[in-house]
Amino acid sequence: MGRLSSPQELEKYREGIRRRRDPHQAFITVCGGTGCHASGCHAVVDAFKKVIQEKAKGNGVGLRVTGCHGFCERGPLVVLHPQKVLYQRVKPEDAPKIFEETVLNGKIVESLLYEHPTTGEKIVSEEEVPFYKKQMRIIFGNNGSIDPAQIEDYLAVGGYQALCKALFSMKPEEVIREVKKANLRGRGGGGFPAGLKWEQCRNAPGEIKYVICNADEGDPGAYMDRSLLEGNPHSVLEGMIIGAYAIGAHEGYVFVRHEYPLAVVNIGIAIQQARELGLLGKEILGSGFSFDVQISRGGGAFVAGESTALMATIEGNVGEPRAKHIHTVISGLWDRPTNLNNVETWANVPLIIDRGADWYTQIGTEGSKGTKIFSLVGKVNNTGLVEVPMGITLREIVYDIGGGIPGGKKLKAVQTGGPSGGCIPESLIDLPVDFDRLTEVGSMMGSGGMIVMDESTCMVDVAKYFMNFLKDESCGKCTSCREGTRRMHEILMEITEGRGTLDHLDLLEELGWVTAEASLCALGGTAPNPVLSTLRYFRDEYKEHILNKRCPAKVCRALLKYRILSDVCTMCGRCAKACPVEAISGKVKTKKEKGIPFKIDEQKCIKCGMCFESCKFEAIEVQ
Amino acid sequence: MIPITIDGQPVEGKEGENILQVALDAGFDIPHLCYNENVKPYGACRLCLVEVVRRGRSRMTTACTYPVMEGIEVLTQSEKVLRARRMIMELILAMCPGDKLIQDMAKQMGVEQVRFKKDDNKDCILCGLCARVCDEVVGAHAISFAFRGDRREMVPPFLGEAMNCIACGACVVVCPVDVIRMKEEGDERTIIRWKRTLKMKQCKVCGNYFAPWFQLEKFKERAKLPKDFFDVCFTCRG
Amino acid sequence: MTQSEIEAIIERYGRKESSILSILQDIQTREKYLPREALEYVGEKLQIPLNKIYRIATFYRALSLMPRGRHEVCVCMGTACHVRGAQRVLDQLKLELGIAPGETTKDLNFTLETVNCLGVCAAGPVVAIDGQYFGKMNPTKVEGTLKQFRSDKKKEAADGKA
């Protein structure tokens, strides 16, 4: 296929693809997202290939390796179309059975179905699984059915339709008006209105302008941008082209983390395919509008996700933020007007143009429209990516979608917003989730990480964790940020190692204030949030560490004591074997000998917890 | 001229100037360590924080990186500013507690004690002036920041001898905390911190060793000066 | 790495300042570190002073100035992994390999690294070895996971122990 030179040609091409595809034809999708990779989906794909080759005998059963479906906890995931039967935790040896029973004979393999955790009922259809039921997958939904390396798959589901609409029936100003009306707010963290940014960039003086897609997803615990770029790269690309048209930019960059090699590959393929079809490059679809995109790989620095640092990196400088007294929409990349949005924001654009702002604004709350993809991770049963309408409560996300906390433990907090965010306590579980409400309670939306913490999570340790992260990831330029995060970390070390004082709490608050107020960029500006929000909601836990030298969650190692309960000890000797420092002594009981209960030498113990882990009889107590 | 106010007084600045320069020229006292008018402002030390009120909105910013804009109101002594500066001063004092200038500045701001743990072997306050002068004024590109976050350091490439250093001594002069030292012995000059020792040239008239050969050759090359231009020292040349 | 190989990489991105990070990344991918001579050569060709290249090379985690082991063991320290016990997995790896993060074993077989998030949060704690992900890790799984990457001698020893 050569370049398409009009919208009519694109529609004809699309019709051709659709005609070739029988909607009743059976095909198998295997999730190829990174989560499923970690649980071995590669071998499952190979097994299906073999089975199809041996048994399908030309009856056209298709196999499609798709992007992330979201339900990573249950991977590898396999969905059989057209019935949409979901099989979870599939092993390579299940492939022949699935093929025989379900594909050929239409029977269900019960053992691979998802089982409702409370009712025990087996659920056949993907849509009926509680994890998916309360979601609204308007951005993320296509991930599960298209092969990211095939532009035809994207075209078959209506891809690049919005681009046609924008290029041929809307003026650039109308596109901006629509995005403004939809009140699309930036999904990368700050929630700045995208339409306003586009307008400022369009109106900024200068011939050459740039658009950038920020895929430097650095928040630990967040991976929705990765999954979008890996699973549906064309949706992001289409958004960028529409944005570039609205702004009047002819060059664009996708800035991707180097830690996401598959995303780099997939967006690269997408760009290539779009160019070949004339959806990118000179005179897109014969419209007279030209735009092309390059990929720029990040070097592994969290701060490079900050817009000015990101631009410095593309320019070939070190990723250090600069003062934004003149905004980047006026003077950004190479001092030219530059509009930067993140992956998920761009992916929203085709939808808004295609279905209209009136439709879009029906979803969400007053100030936050549309959906948001969260990565629901940590101490929750159903970990994975969830797309929900703005305004849904934390409770619905954690309990209805997430299936609650594993092991019958109690929810303690939900951390949102990455290192810039805060910990929301269990008491605020009915909080509707949107940009403004999260900020009100001292956290933020961020890019969408949602880390569930239970009673075995220590909040002082969490604060320490984030300060350790930030002192490493700060570029180190501003005294307030570099020294502020370093000193906060130092104090938190003191507290978690039993040397804390109550004065430390005041000092933490003062340091937090100055780090936020005196630092240049958003990294420093939000760096103290993990400390300040835990101090606000979990001050007692800090005090317990300081006054009683005790970590209630039993996390802070220096404050723990391991003890073997001699009356429970079966003298199996497993703990002594597991101990890396030979701190455990005793004698194994055998048929011939009596044995001596095992004991831990406190002097030698490094509190690694290996003995606790190894004991099968709950004979080891942690205090 | 661009009219602004600083602590209520009307002051005028020129296009392209920053608030710190304008304030210092007008006689206001704003503490600063990483600013030098010969190089581009960088905003690392954060001591020159001021409050800027623009279009009714107030924010704290470093004066050295903020361009003068018509009608802005600058507050150099607000409670918020003084509070932030004090904490930053304490953080800087903790980095090099032995330096006289830092001690005096701290005292003046009312910072009496350091509440943090003592650092070992630290003395540099990472203001970056030495490298900026070396890059922007001297053009030797001998040193730079390396690493990031709390591991940030000012070093020559690969941590060894600074091979591009011409031992001109500009970094020695601009360093506010006096941790870059230079020594001259016989016909040699050494910049101790950058492990760089160079032979000096002798003046044909007075016989004094006046500058490193390497430096003079570089200057000649760059400015296309005649071969014998630096045979006589600056003093003897008159 | 020969100069003509470096030259080929430079050509791919163009002889301009903005190509520097991409060029360094490609050299890193090939050599598993950035040899000093390569940096000096690139600097000369792109007219970028060495102090700036050194600054970039030490700023980004993806770049290393030290030779690396044959296998890179990367422990994810993302938040989701952290609350599920990544620290203890790291401690066990340190113990098994006898090195700290950022270091390489004497036999040049392993380099231990931490990363702030691999984006495989649902499977945490995650360890990636040479790009292959191992999910739901715990300290007791460490030895078995490392086994297949051990050099032959060590592997025999480990087999014997098991």
Side-chain angles (χ1 to χ4, degrees), chain C residues 71-92:
Chain C
H71 304 294
E72 188 177 75
V73 182
C74 208
V75 187
C76 179
M77 301 303 282
T79 323
C81 291
H82 178 79
V83 301
R84 285 185 176 183
Q87 185 61 46
R88 303 208 300 133
V89 174
L90 176 64
D91 289 344
Q92 190 57 27

Side-chain angles (χ1 to χ4, degrees), chain A residues 300-303 320 323-326 470-480 482-484 486-487 490-491 494 499 504 507 509-511 513-514 517-520, chain B residues 42-46 49 54 59-62 65-67 69 80 83-84 87-88 90-92 94-95 115-119 122 125-126 145 147-152:
Chain A
F302 174 71
V303 67
E320 217 174 70
K324 271 196 276 193
H325 302 306
I326 299 166
L470 288 160
K471 78 175 177 55
D472 272 352
E473 294 291 352
S474 156
C475 76
K477 172 172 147 174
C478 300
T479 306
S480 45
R482 181 190 65 239
E483 300 300 314
R486 176 164 83 97
R487 295 301 187 179
E490 191 177 278
I491 293 168
E494 295 285 292
R499 294 184 300 272
H504 276 148
L507 190 52
E509 271 166 333
E510 186 66 8
L511 273 171
W513 179 80
V514 91
E517 288 286 332
S519 306
L520 168 70
Chain B
Y42 186 54
C45 76
R46 316 307 284 177
L49 284 175
R54 188 177 167 220
R59 55 176 298 198
M60 204 142 61
T61 173
T62 41
T65 55
Y66 205 100
M69 293 182 205
K80 205 170 148 185
R83 178 181 162 199
M87 184 46 113
I88 289 165
E90 187 177 337
L91 289 168
I92 293 174
M95 294 175 78
R115 289 167 287 177
F116 308 112
K117 282 171 87 174
K118 255 212 169 94
D119 285 327
K122 280 208 177 180
I125 57 164
L126 301 171
F145 279 126
F147 311 104
R148 66 167 190 243
D150 64 339
R151 289 170 56 233
R152 174 179 269 228

Side-chain angles (χ1 to χ4, degrees), chain A residues 72 220-221 226 257 297-300 313-314 317-320 378-379 383 461 465 469 473 557 580 608 610 613, chain C residues 13 18 20 25-26 52 55 59-62 77-80 82-84 88 91 95 116-118 121-122 133 139:
Chain A
C72 311
R226 166 181 209 156
R257 285 181 89 190
R297 280 171 297 163
T313 309
I314 295 179
N317 292 308
V318 79
E320 217 174 70
K379 306 285 187 68
T383 55
D461 176 71
Y465 164 80
F469 175 95
E473 294 291 352
R557 241 190 235 181
C608 68
M610 292 291 282
E613 204 92 19
Chain C
Y13 298 102
S18 58
I20 183 70
Q25 282 172 323
D26 281 13
K52 186 174 169 183
R55 185 175 184 186
F59 189 86
Y60 295 106
R61 253 174 193 255
M77 301 303 282
T79 323
H82 178 79
V83 301
R84 285 185 176 183
R88 303 208 300 133
D91 289 344
L95 217 63
N116 279 330
C117 187
L118 285 167
C121 313
Y133 298 107

Side-chain angles (χ1 to χ4, degrees), chain B residues 62-75:
Chain B
T62 41
C64 68
T65 55
Y66 205 100
V68 285
M69 293 182 205
E70 181 149 356
I72 54 170
E73 243 180 273
V74 180
L75 305 170

Side-chain angles (χ1 to χ4, degrees), chain C residues 63-126:
Chain C
L63 307 174
S64 162
L65 291 169
M66 299 288 285
R68 315 279 279 181
R70 281 179 286 281
H71 304 294
E72 188 177 75
V73 182
C74 208
V75 187
C76 179
M77 301 303 282
T79 323
C81 291
H82 178 79
V83 301
R84 285 185 176 183
Q87 185 61 46
R88 303 208 300 133
V89 174
L90 176 64
D91 289 344
Q92 190 57 27
L93 276 162
K94 286 201 280 197
L95 217 63
E96 283 282 335
L97 298 173
I99 49 173
E103 293 178 355
T104 301
T105 53
K106 277 214 188 81
D107 62 358
L108 286 180
N109 198 45
F110 288 111
T111 297
L112 182 61
E113 272 301 340
T114 58
V115 59
N116 279 330
C117 187
L118 285 167
V120 201
C121 313
V126 174

